[in-house]
Structure formats: structure tokens, C-alpha cells
């Protein structure tokens, strides 16, 4: 197999592993999960978000390395890999949403977009590289076998 064959899969695998682990690194701490000022409903949504990361990352890994058709695998893995970052970017449009909770402060507004935009760019690169490979290996048609 060529490097071009594995590069998109490795990029999607990296994205999946980041999606699974970073929400816990960022949120399983005194400013989020253990924040005594948070009401129970806020904790519920924080837990949902962390679980969403595990679910989406796991689905990305499964579809990236599954034996389904290459184009189906690519499209499904790409959509799953992008979902967490699309929803994270959209969170700023909810009323009262802020990037940080007290006692933290950060001088850059919309700081999470510094994560969202690069991650979506990586998803786009992985998708584009794999589409390019498909075209190079037979005009976009699936390989036999």
C-alpha cells in the first residue's frame, strides 16, 4: 500500500483520538465537571458533550478502518469526524454562551475556534487526499476486490 493510501486514514485516526480524549482533559476538572457553582442540568450537558466525543471518535475509528466500500467509509468517517467540531463552533450562537467559566479568563474571544477551524481543516485535507487517490486509481471508481 502506498503512503497516500494510509495518510487520510492516519489523519482521521488522529482526529478521532483527539476527539475521544481532549474533552475529558479540558472538562473533567474543578472549572467544569466539579465546579460547585454549576447546576445539575449544566453538568448533564457537559457529560453529554464528553460522551459525544467518545461516541463520535469511536465511530470515526470504526468507519475509517472498516471493510465497507472505500467511498462509503470515507464519507461516513469524514462526516462523523467533523460533527464534534461543527457543533462546538455552533455553541457560541446559544444565548449566554461563553468560552470560559469563572474563575478562568482568557483575553481572546471565541478561543475554541482556534481548535475548531484547524480540526475541520484536517478533516477537509483527509477527505480531499482520499478523493484525489480515488480519482488517480480509476477515475473515482472503486477498486475491485
Amino acid at each position: 500500500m502506498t503512503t497516500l493510501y494510509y495518510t487520510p486514514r492516519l489523519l482521521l485516526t488522529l482526529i478521532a483520538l483527539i476527539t475521544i480524549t481532549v474533552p475529558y482533559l479540558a472538562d473533567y476538572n474543578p472549572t467544569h465537571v466539579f465546579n460547585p457553582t454549576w447546576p445539575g442540568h449544566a453538568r448533564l450537558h457537559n457529560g453529554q458533550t464528553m460522551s459525544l466525543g467518545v461516541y463520535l471518535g469511536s465511530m470515526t475509528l470504526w468507519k475509517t478502518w472498516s471493510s465497507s466500500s472505500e467511498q462509503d467509509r470515507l464519507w461516513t468517517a469524514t462526516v462523523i469526524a467533523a460533527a464534534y467540531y461543527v457543533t462546538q463552533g455552533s455553541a457560541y450562537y446559544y444565548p449566554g454562551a461563553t468560552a470560559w467559566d469563572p474563575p478562568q479568563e482568557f483575553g481572546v474571544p471565541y478561543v475554541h475556534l482556534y481548535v475548531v477551524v484547524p480540526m475541520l481543516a484536517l478533516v477537509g485535507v483527509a477527505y480531499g487526499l482520499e478523493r484525489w487517490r480515488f480519482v488517480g486509481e480509476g477515475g473515482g471508481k472503486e477498486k475491485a476486490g
Side-chain angles (χ1 to χ4, degrees), residues 104-137:
Q104 290 181 321
E105 288 188 33
F106 197 78
V108 177
Y110 309 112
V111 68
H112 290 90
L113 296 181
Y114 290 99
V115 174
V116 170
V117 172
M119 293 301 286
L120 288 175
L122 279 176
V123 170
V125 167
Y127 181 80
L129 284 172
E130 192 69 344
R131 291 293 302 157
W132 182 45
R133 186 181 69 80
F134 287 155
V135 170
E137 291 182 355

Side-chain angles (χ1 to χ4, degrees), residues 2-70:
T2 66
T3 302
L4 187 56
Y5 181 79
Y6 283 109
T7 300
R9 286 183 178 195
L10 293 176
L11 284 173
L12 288 169
T13 298
L14 173 65
I15 292 162
L17 294 174
I18 290 169
T19 303
I20 289 168
T21 59
V22 170
Y24 286 89
L25 294 174
D27 292 356
Y28 208 77
N29 61 53
T31 66
H32 286 73
V33 172
F34 301 109
N35 187 336
T37 64
W38 274 27
H41 197 66
R43 294 170 195 264
L44 175 116
H45 284 292
N46 190 228
Q48 180 182 11
T49 301
M50 292 185 298
S51 296
L52 178 64
V54 171
Y55 181 88
L56 291 172
S58 299
M59 292 294 294
T60 301
L61 289 172
W62 171 55
K63 290 304 284 189
T64 298
W65 296 99
S66 73
S67 61
S68 61
S69 76
E70 289 186 56

